[in-house]
Amino acid sequence: MSKCNLLTQANTAKLVEDIDTVLFDCDGVLYTGGHPVAGSQEMLQKLRNMGKRIFFITNNSSRSNRQFVAKLNKLGFPAEEAEAVSTSWVAAWYLKEQNFKGKVYLVGNTGMAEELDNAGIKYTGLGPDVAEEESIWDTVDNSHQIFPIDPEVQCVLVGFDQHISFPKLLKAASYLKNEKVLFLATNEDPRLPLKNAPITMPGTGCIVSPVRIASGREPLVLGKPNTPMFDSIHEKYHIDPAKTLMVGDSLKTDILMGNKCGLKSLLVLTGINSLEDAKSVMNSSSPDVQQQAPDFYIEDIGQFGQFL
């Protein structure tokens, strides 16, 4: 199938006939700036009436699945917890799949902690950890241990943490000196998608990067565009990749994950990437960049609903 096709009334019928499951990225797709995209709620209801399975997936690690569903419901999107897939939940799922028995050093938030609690996984590090006024360098030499190493810590998990600090970076990198300690990251999004906002909100990638640099280690990134997020849905709900559509606004995360996992992909133009971006990656000489090209594109998700 050729790439980057405009989704029309004519080809929508064939696309919908070929799928039984739809994965929706949310911010920039179903809502923007905290407001639902016009027609998005009606579109979801039409898909449900047609018997399609729906999942809401997000790289945002600041909420547990329960909190994620509460946000969706507040915005007018009826959803159940079984339909929500946050990277907070994926992290806990992955550790359970690995039969993890140790403790996690968590550079994260209460949503991530909730999912670890639900999975029965111990953790430490939640909340503020601030250096004393006196310079930490005055107390450091080759024999000095600034903090007690917890021998139970067998994983460093990094997600969105508004309390990121030097002591947290110090502890995360120190635990990762042990090569047997897992290094996991929920995602590496550089910033939150605040379109036309007067501020820039740094994303989880800005927190993962200093831990990577300090430790000299590469994390396993669980969120889009990597495959563990889809693997978690596939393993739990047994969905067929060939009959699944990934809908997103980001070529580098949503569309790339869909293509990596053998899904059909639809780019909406209400978020991060434009049609010019999509055509650029499609015409790239790099196979890796070409893998970001969507099967279809459409102006907005409400228009998709009009074609159903």
Side-chain angles (χ1 to χ4, degrees), residues 1-305:
M1 182 174 68
S2 63
K3 290 285 187 177
C4 211
N5 300 289
L6 174 65
L7 195 65
T8 63
Q9 182 82 59
N11 57 22
T12 294
K14 178 66 167 63
L15 174 63
V16 172
E17 180 183 344
D18 289 344
I19 61 173
D20 55 26
T21 304
V22 186
L23 311 182
F24 285 99
D25 178 57
C26 295
D27 200 352
V29 177
L30 298 177
Y31 50 82
T32 61
H35 300 285
V37 171
S40 53
Q41 290 109 327
E42 293 83 356
M43 177 275 306
L44 287 174
Q45 190 56 54
K46 285 183 179 180
L47 287 174
R48 292 188 191 279
N49 291 344
M50 297 168 74
K52 308 301 180 184
R53 298 182 74 181
I54 290 172
F55 292 91
F56 304 94
I57 67 177
T58 178
N59 266 5
N60 190 332
S61 64
S62 65
R63 292 182 173 87
S64 64
N65 277 5
R66 178 188 63 82
Q67 294 166 330
F68 182 28
V69 166
K71 177 178 180 178
L72 288 168
N73 290 339
K74 185 177 180 180
L75 289 173
F77 299 103
E80 299 177 1
E81 200 165 325
E83 298 173 321
V85 185
S86 67
T87 49
S88 297
W89 179 83
V90 175
W93 167 84
Y94 180 83
L95 288 169
K96 286 182 68 177
E97 285 291 298
Q98 299 301 308
N99 198 28
F100 182 79
K101 299 298 184 184
K103 185 186 291 185
V104 170
Y105 180 70
L106 178 63
V107 181
N109 54 74
T110 56
M112 295 171 68
E114 181 177 321
E115 293 295 357
L116 293 175
D117 284 333
N118 292 342
I121 297 170
K122 297 183 292 183
Y123 57 88
T124 185
L126 181 65
D129 190 351
V130 182
E132 295 181 6
E133 193 73 24
E134 179 182 324
S135 173
I136 201 167
W137 303 111
D138 294 339
T139 62
V140 175
D141 59 45
N142 288 336
S143 63
H144 188 72
Q145 188 166 301
I146 297 172
F147 73 98
I149 297 287
D150 186 342
E152 288 189 81
V153 170
Q154 297 298 313
C155 172
V156 172
L157 172 60
V158 182
F160 187 78
D161 189 342
Q162 65 181 358
H163 300 296
I164 189 64
S165 62
F166 186 87
K168 289 196 171 194
L169 296 178
L170 167 71
K171 292 175 182 178
S174 297
Y175 281 120
L176 289 170
K177 283 178 72 72
N178 181 349
E179 293 184 356
K180 294 182 179 180
V181 172
L182 294 173
F183 183 12
L184 305 179
T186 57
N187 65 290
E188 292 189 292
D189 295 25
R191 64 193 67 86
L192 274 63
L194 302 177
K195 200 168 186 179
N196 301 320
I199 64 169
T200 295
M201 184 70 74
T204 301
C206 301
I207 300 170
V208 175
S209 183
V211 179
R212 173 196 282 112
I213 293 170
S215 67
R217 301 240 335 243
E218 288 295 322
L220 172 62
V221 181
L222 301 168
K224 302 170 290 183
N226 295 326
T227 60
M229 175 167 272
F230 178 75
D231 293 342
S232 68
I233 307 170
H234 184 261
E235 185 272 336
K236 186 171 183 179
Y237 297 104
H238 310 291
I239 65 175
D240 183 351
K243 294 183 178 181
T244 301
L245 174 67
M246 175 69 223
V247 184
D249 66 311
S250 169
L251 298 171
K252 289 184 177 180
T253 57
D254 306 319
I255 303 305
L256 181 54
M257 187 199 77
N259 291 340
K260 279 184 175 182
C261 295
L263 319 180
K264 297 174 178 62
S265 57
L266 170 63
L267 175 73
V268 296
L269 305 178
T270 47
I272 293 173
N273 286 120
S274 65
L275 177 57
E276 290 73 22
D277 295 332
K279 289 182 176 179
S280 176
V281 301
M282 183 179 67
N283 295 323
S284 171
S285 60
S286 167
D288 290 340
V289 175
Q290 289 176 3
Q291 200 174 10
Q292 299 175 24
D295 294 319
F296 299 96
Y297 72 90
I298 197 167
E299 189 64 34
D300 62 62
I301 204 64
Q303 189 177 22
F304 176 48

